[in-house]
Amino acid sequence: MNEVNKIIEKEFDQQLINKYASLMALGNGCIGLRSTHEEEYEGQIRGMYVAGVYNQLSPSQTTKLVNLPDLVGMEIEINGDVFSNATGQFLFYDRKLDMLTGELIREVIWKNKDGNRFHFLFQRFVSKDDLHLLASKLTVTALDCNAIIKIKTGINAQCVNQEKNELTEELVKVFDKRIMQGVYQTTESKYKIAIATTFVSPDESEVSFFTLNNQLLAAVTQELVVDHSVWFEKISSIYTSNEMLREDPAAASVNTVQKYLSEGYDNLRNSTTIKWQDFWKQKRVEITSKDKEDQYALDFSLYHIEAMTPAHDDRLSIGSRGLTGEGNKGLVYWGTEMFIAPFHLFTEPEIMKRLLRYRYQHIKEAKVNAALAGYQGTLFPWASAFSGKEETLKRSENNKVSDDIQDPKLAKGSVHIVADIAFAVVQYYENTLNEGFMAKEGLELLKETARFWVSRTTDVNGDLLINNVIGPGGFTELVDNNAYTNYMAFFNVQNALNFMGKYNDPDAELLQKCTDFLKRLYLPKPNDENIIPQDDTFLEQPEIDLTEYKQSLGSREILLDYSQKELNELQVLKQADVVMLLYLFPDLFSTDIVKKNLEYYEERTVHETSISNLVHAIVAARCDYIDEAYQLFQEGCLIDLGPNPNSSDEGIHAASLGANWLAAIFGFANISMDINRLKIEPKLPSSWDKMNFPFLWQGAKLEIIIAKRTMTITKQYGPPVTLEINGETFDLTDKLKVGL
């Protein structure tokens, strides 16, 4: 196995400070920690989050992920000089996130204004072994002269995202002159957050504690002797009342710090390293490519998917920026089910089941949402938080939309999320054959989403139309008969009907309505030129040359030249809904029609969503446009990793990480399936010599190795699998090697 990559920053650049805080963020699915520097810099956005902890700052504002008091920051003085690149000079700088171990390491040689040099080694991790634990270590060495170092650090509730009234302080306390604790409560959601920390220093250090401006701090003074290293450690824990705990969060936080205090940073780091190494052993996609960036992008994607997924609690889901920042307010969108959940489904399906249970547990709220909109069944929210309610439709007292939220038309029109969730339910069942889940949670989700679609149609001359919707692709708003939406709704209702029959569901009225829906729903068909109309009017709109906009990756330059209203009346797309449809249903249309539509819509797409390039890459690979697919894949991987200095300031783009994996597995490995067999028809890029990845299918764990001329599939455990490789059928019981 080639080495799991590190994210490396070789020089300090303040312009990139927030981008790298996101790219190098640490997490364990419960806690997310932005990788900000210990020292302060203007504009640096600190962030620490716990999955599921949201708050609404005021009735007119959107619910958001809560930024918790900071544990990272340190004010470091040496001989009276504050440690910073602004007050001295970094002669050497190297920072890396080791994705193999989950540890962030920064090494700096700093020269102060007097010309004396000091070596700093900063280390930090969020534990994968204990979800409530995080720790850091600082090792300082004077290189030129003896000195006095003073460090102030603790729990800083002063710098919580510059927001007012997000948290109220209930208690700050020091236990046994050693452990600092802050207990806070969110202002609207009323969650209690308990944070405990201890700052361990040499025995001879002078230590005192004090409070200042919503901070509880330890002040440590220590002598530095030339060439003798001095280390300091910080062991911290976080608990909230939103978790299912047996003990009070305040007591739990202190008990956890006491439990781990004697183990020390290195032992605790070693425990979490074992868990990360096991993750990579079980789930890594390994690429042998002429371009090392391909492996780097896939490692980056899988690391962050793992770090952001709350696998421990099925009441939680994954926000659009994971736990790395507050972009999109940390809310949950359709991308979780469509782009992130498949990685879990085909590597550890129990996690996808938990993500689906998040939706199932909010059927009640989705029914209320549908009723408020005038429909039956469940209308799952476009943006949701812990409560499962719609979080985009917040208005101020004068009934104007708040500045900090998306256009509420998105919530009213983006109803495709209902079918997206149903699609994920069926996908989960076909891979796991989990009858227990499907007979209860799955069937209810399918029935209630089908009930919504039946009520959402308009009868026009005997045809059932789905009008006034927004497809996933953007720019085109409130259109009629969006192809993606209509076909997905058909799939949704068809499967509700199928599983009602399978489990002998007695709901005769819904059965009749679904049967009628399937007979009469209008499904856009290819026109005389074999183009599937994205909606009723798209093909009638004027065209413009998009060449210059397509060359400006993710810059949104087209919005500098055209208004949203103007784009709504042109053949211009952020991403192509029809191509998304072709990705999800590869056998829906003939290869010729798929190719024609890919070419047509690619010309009209500026790829201004984080997943657009990658979806196009999958369909292009299947069409044997492999060079084009590879280019789209590499461009898609640059959403966060590209040169744009501010691309990820507010957090990484979670859906794109899942889409990177999908492009590799469902594009270049070209896996597809029906309920009876797994199909593989590889389309490796010319620069890839081999790809090796795990794949879990109906209880069988497979190791799949695809090379230029051969493919080897090993069943590591589970039942026999029926395979179809390049059209030829095989029964896999142990190991199979075939020529390509």
Side-chain angles (χ1 to χ4, degrees):
M1 184 172 91
N2 54 40
E3 185 178 349
V4 175
N5 279 278
K6 299 176 176 67
I7 303 173
I8 298 174
E9 185 185 30
K10 297 299 289 185
E11 61 181 40
F12 178 82
D13 185 342
Q14 194 161 339
Q15 187 182 18
L16 299 174
I17 201 166
N18 287 318
K19 175 167 180 158
Y20 274 104
S22 299
L23 299 187
M24 293 182 168
L26 305 173
N28 60 15
C30 178
I31 299 171
L33 184 65
R34 285 176 62 80
S35 287
T36 48
H37 295 293
E38 284 76 5
E39 68 274 18
E40 196 58 62
Y41 292 101
E42 183 178 356
Q44 180 172 238
I45 302 172
R46 298 190 180 277
M48 184 170 69
Y49 314 99
V50 169
V53 176
Y54 291 89
N55 193 57
Q56 186 180 349
L57 294 172
S58 73
S60 65
Q61 291 180 286
T62 303
T63 296
K64 64 178 289 292
L65 188 66
V66 175
N67 191 358
L68 300 178
D70 179 60
L71 289 167
V72 170
M74 293 184 180
E75 182 182 299
I76 302 171
E77 285 187 11
I78 296 182
N79 289 345
D81 294 331
V82 175
F83 167 74
S84 164
N85 190 55
T87 58
Q89 181 183 1
F90 288 162
L91 302 178
F92 175 83
Y93 179 93
D94 180 83
R95 184 163 67 143
K96 61 177 74 75
L97 169 61
D98 189 340
M99 292 188 282
L100 175 65
T101 65
E103 184 181 29
L104 181 73
I105 303 167
R106 180 170 60 131
E107 186 177 2
V108 173
I109 295 177
W110 179 68
K111 184 172 72 173
N112 67 7
K113 68 178 190 305
D114 296 325
N116 295 311
R117 298 168 303 141
F118 300 87
H119 180 274
F120 291 82
L121 178 64
F122 298 91
Q123 297 166 269
R124 186 189 312 170
F125 70 88
V126 170
S127 176
K128 201 166 169 39
D129 190 45
D130 183 322
L131 297 183
H132 299 91
L133 175 70
L134 58 156
S136 60
K137 182 177 182 179
L138 167 60
T139 306
V140 186
T141 310
L143 300 180
D144 297 317
C145 68
N146 295 347
I148 299 296
I149 185 171
K150 295 181 179 179
I151 302 174
K152 296 175 186 175
T153 189
I155 305 170
N156 181 3
Q158 184 182 31
C159 62
V160 179
N161 199 33
Q162 316 305 315
E163 298 277 12
K164 296 180 180 179
N165 303 322
E166 189 164 27
L167 294 171
T168 56
E169 181 185 290
E170 289 195 345
L171 169 74
V172 291
K173 189 174 181 180
V174 179
F175 293 86
D176 194 28
K177 296 183 179 180
R178 209 170 183 188
I179 298 175
M180 295 171 277
Q181 183 184 63
V183 180
Y184 310 87
Q185 187 178 67
T186 54
T187 53
E188 175 266 338
S189 53
K190 302 302 180 184
Y191 295 134
K192 180 183 288 188
I193 294 111
I195 300 173
T197 188
T198 186
F199 192 55
V200 182
S201 58
D203 292 341
E204 66 271 17
S205 298
E206 295 179 14
V207 181
S208 61
F209 298 92
F210 65 98
T211 60
L212 176 68
N213 299 329
N214 295 316
Q215 301 173 83
L216 174 60
L217 301 174
V220 176
T221 302
Q222 169 67 35
E223 183 181 2
L224 298 178
V225 178
V226 174
D227 293 333
H228 287 267
S229 296
V230 176
W231 56 264
F232 307 87
E233 295 184 354
K234 193 171 183 181
I235 312 296
S236 309
S237 71
I238 305 166
Y239 286 81
T240 78
S241 61
N242 192 37
E243 300 169 80
M244 295 176 284
L245 300 173
R246 294 180 180 177
E247 58 183 328
D248 178 71
S253 65
V254 173
N255 291 341
T256 296
V257 172
Q258 289 174 331
K259 173 183 175 182
Y260 292 119
L261 192 54
S262 62
E263 290 197 39
Y265 178 91
D266 291 351
N267 289 329
L268 295 173
R269 187 266 325 278
N270 292 343
S271 296
T272 200
T273 292
I274 291 170
K275 294 292 181 71
W276 271 110
Q277 289 174 334
D278 184 60
F279 163 77
W280 290 110
K281 182 180 179 181
Q282 297 298 323
K283 299 184 181 181
R284 191 181 187 213
V285 179
E286 190 171 357
I287 304 296
T288 303
S289 173
K290 293 180 175 63
D291 190 340
K292 293 181 179 180
E293 294 301 308
D294 298 337
Q295 182 70 67
Y296 178 61
L298 286 169
D299 286 349
F300 174 80
S301 299
L302 269 57
Y303 166 81
H304 275 294
I305 291 174
E306 180 70 2
M308 72 175 66
T309 299
H312 61 289
D313 191 339
D314 64 9
R315 301 172 305 147
L316 310 176
S317 191
I318 303 170
S320 69
R321 303 300 179 98
L323 294 170
T324 67
E326 294 161 65
N328 303 117
K329 305 298 181 185
L331 299 174
V332 180
Y333 294 83
W334 73 298
T336 299
E337 283 77 19
M338 298 308 290
F339 298 103
I340 302 170
F343 167 76
H344 295 300
L345 174 61
F346 297 110
T347 59
E348 191 175 348
E350 178 66 22
I351 296 177
M352 183 175 184
K353 184 178 80 171
R354 287 171 173 264
L355 294 172
L356 291 174
R357 281 190 53 78
Y358 164 78
R359 297 295 189 181
Y360 174 76
Q361 291 174 86
H362 293 302
I363 283 180
K364 178 181 177 181
E365 290 83 3
K367 284 182 176 181
V368 171
N369 201 28
L372 289 172
Y375 304 113
Q376 298 175 6
T378 55
L379 174 54
F380 284 98
W382 177 239
S384 61
F386 183 78
S387 70
K389 298 177 181 179
E390 178 61 69
E391 300 292 352
T392 53
L393 295 178
K394 300 293 187 295
R395 291 180 176 271
S396 59
E397 292 180 0
N398 60 6
N399 205 37
K400 289 185 178 180
V401 179
S402 300
D403 292 336
D404 70 332
I405 63 173
Q406 299 188 51
D407 190 328
K409 284 186 295 185
L410 279 170
K412 291 182 178 180
S414 298
V415 292
H416 65 83
I417 190 172
V418 175
D420 298 332
I421 292 168
F423 183 92
V425 168
V426 176
Q427 191 179 42
Y428 169 77
Y429 173 77
E430 290 185 346
N431 182 28
T432 64
L433 304 178
N434 185 336
E435 302 291 353
F437 173 85
M438 201 62 188
K440 183 186 178 185
E441 293 101 322
L443 182 60
E444 187 172 357
L445 284 165
L446 289 178
K447 285 180 61 179
E448 295 306 323
T449 50
R451 215 182 296 277
F452 169 78
W453 290 117
V454 167
S455 70
R456 183 62 172 77
T457 58
T458 302
D459 189 330
V460 178
N461 299 324
D463 288 331
L464 296 180
L465 311 182
I466 303 178
N467 295 336
N468 293 314
V469 301
I470 300 174
F475 286 157
T476 53
E477 295 185 350
L478 298 180
V479 297
D480 298 340
N481 298 308
N482 171 261
Y484 176 88
T485 303
N486 285 32
Y487 276 97
M488 287 287 282
F490 185 92
F491 177 88
N492 187 164
V493 175
Q494 183 182 52
N495 276 279
L497 205 58
N498 291 343
F499 284 99
M500 287 173 69
K502 177 179 175 66
Y503 298 117
N504 299 312
D505 188 278
D507 194 333
E509 181 182 358
L510 180 60
L511 190 73
Q512 186 276 325
K513 288 182 176 180
C514 288
T515 302
D516 181 65
F517 177 93
L518 295 177
K519 287 179 180 177
R520 296 202 288 140
L521 179 66
Y522 170 70
L523 296 174
K525 296 291 194 289
N527 64 14
D528 292 341
E529 287 78 37
N530 278 338
I531 303 302
I532 304 161
Q534 172 154 300
D535 55 63
D536 282 354
T537 61
F538 184 81
L539 299 183
E540 300 169 7
Q541 306 291 4
E543 301 177 39
I544 61 172
D545 184 359
L546 296 178
T547 304
E548 64 174 295
Y549 303 113
K550 289 168 74 70
Q551 293 171 347
S552 55
L553 179 66
S555 66
R556 300 181 63 82
E557 286 187 4
I558 196 167
L559 290 172
L560 300 177
D561 297 332
Y562 295 90
S563 68
Q564 178 67 59
K565 183 177 184 301
E566 289 172 324
L567 290 173
N568 200 35
E569 298 170 353
L570 295 171
Q571 286 195 39
V572 181
L573 301 167
K574 291 181 182 178
Q575 71 181 57
D577 295 351
V578 170
V579 179
M580 181 73 188
L581 176 67
L582 298 175
Y583 150 59
L584 293 178
F585 300 101
D587 300 322
L588 194 59
F589 299 100
S590 70
T591 300
D592 288 343
I593 291 176
V594 173
K595 287 182 176 180
K596 185 81 172 177
N597 280 271
L598 175 64
E599 293 166 1
Y600 185 88
Y601 284 104
E602 172 62 32
E603 289 181 7
R604 291 156 177 79
T605 303
V606 292
H607 296 300
E608 286 199 357
T609 70
S610 64
I611 53 88
S612 180
N613 293 79
L614 297 153
V615 171
H616 282 234
I618 295 171
V619 179
R622 292 172 178 169
C623 291
D624 288 318
Y625 300 152
I626 299 175
D627 289 344
E628 292 87 343
Y630 183 53
Q631 180 180 342
L632 286 162
F633 167 75
Q634 289 200 309
E635 289 174 356
C637 291
L638 295 177
I639 296 299
D640 290 305
L641 295 175
N644 183 340
N646 305 116
S647 64
S648 312
D649 285 1
E650 296 184 329
I652 50 89
H653 297 78
S656 74
L657 306 176
N660 290 342
W661 182 87
L662 289 169
I665 305 305
F666 292 96
F668 300 131
N670 194 18
I671 287 182
S672 60
M673 67 280 293
D674 59 39
I675 199 165
N676 299 312
R677 67 187 58 211
L678 191 66
K679 304 176 184 179
I680 312 176
E681 191 175 342
K683 309 284 185 181
L684 292 192
S686 59
S687 62
W688 288 15
D689 293 324
K690 186 171 69 172
M691 68 182 298
N692 180 353
F693 59 94
F695 198 85
L696 204 64
W697 172 245
Q698 294 187 350
K701 184 173 183 181
L702 310 178
E703 180 191 52
I704 301 175
I705 302 174
I706 302 173
K708 291 291 188 184
R709 295 181 176 84
T710 62
M711 176 161 57
T712 305
I713 305 175
T714 304
K715 182 171 70 68
Q716 297 178 335
Y717 61 75
V721 175
T722 300
L723 297 171
E724 184 179 307
I725 300 173
N726 290 336
E728 186 176 356
T729 302
F730 301 87
D731 291 320
L732 175 67
T733 58
D734 182 23
K735 186 173 183 177
L736 176 69
K737 186 173 183 178
V738 298
L740 298 176

